């Protein structure tokens, strides 16, 4: 074999190796979605300030609102079912501004 053919084969192997390496780095960094959808996905992110983010996360067909980046991460609340939620129980009613302390949950009727 000539030197030109060996150089071409070595260059091809180097390029393929770099492509595979970059592909693995991107996959493990979380930049690509997982095949099959997965059970957990970040739907939206809203930057509130330099450190805090409001994140809407889908988990097992439900959506939860998370506040991250402050002194402690906080679950703001469950938003609801994705896709209509057929056959699932409804969410509790939204908190009212009446009652002592400003916020109180309405009691269900018996």
């Amino acid at each position: 074999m000539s030197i030109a053919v060996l150089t071409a084969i070595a260059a091809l192997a180097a390029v393929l190796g770099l492509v595979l390496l970059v592909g693995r780095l991107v996959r493990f960094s979380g930049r690509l979605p997982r095949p099959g959808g997965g059970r957990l996905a970040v739907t939206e992110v809203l930057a509130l300030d330099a450190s805090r983010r409001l994140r809407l996360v889908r988990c097992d067909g439900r959506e939860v609102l998370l506040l991250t980046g402050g002194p402690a991460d906080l679950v703001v609340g469950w938003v609801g079912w994705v896709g209509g939620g057929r056959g699932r129980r409804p969410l509790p009613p939204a908190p009212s501004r009446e009652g002592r302390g400003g916020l109180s949950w309405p009691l269900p009727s018996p």
Side-chain angles (χ1 to χ4, degrees):
M1 289 185 128
S2 70
I3 301 246
V5 173
L6 289 175
T7 304
I9 291 173
L12 179 63
V15 168
L16 288 176
L18 285 174
V19 167
L20 291 174
L21 179 66
V22 168
R24 286 190 181 257
L25 288 174
V26 168
R27 186 178 307 144
F28 288 123
S29 70
R31 300 278 183 203
L32 292 178
R34 292 182 181 164
R39 295 177 52 200
L40 188 65
V42 177
T43 307
E44 292 185 39
V45 177
L46 176 67
L48 298 177
D49 57 27
S51 64
R52 295 184 303 158
R53 303 281 185 268
L54 196 59
R55 300 174 192 271
L56 185 62
V57 177
R58 190 188 79 235
C59 178
D60 289 337
R62 290 186 71 188
E63 289 184 330
V64 62
L65 196 58
L66 304 173
L67 180 63
T68 61
D73 295 340
L74 177 69
V75 176
V76 176
W78 289 93
V79 178
W81 294 100
V82 177
R86 191 172 175 197
R88 308 241 166 86
R89 63 184 170 87
L91 293 173
S96 67
R97 295 214 175 255
E98 300 170 5
R100 60 189 168 104
L103 291 177
S104 64
W105 287 94
L107 297 174
S109 58

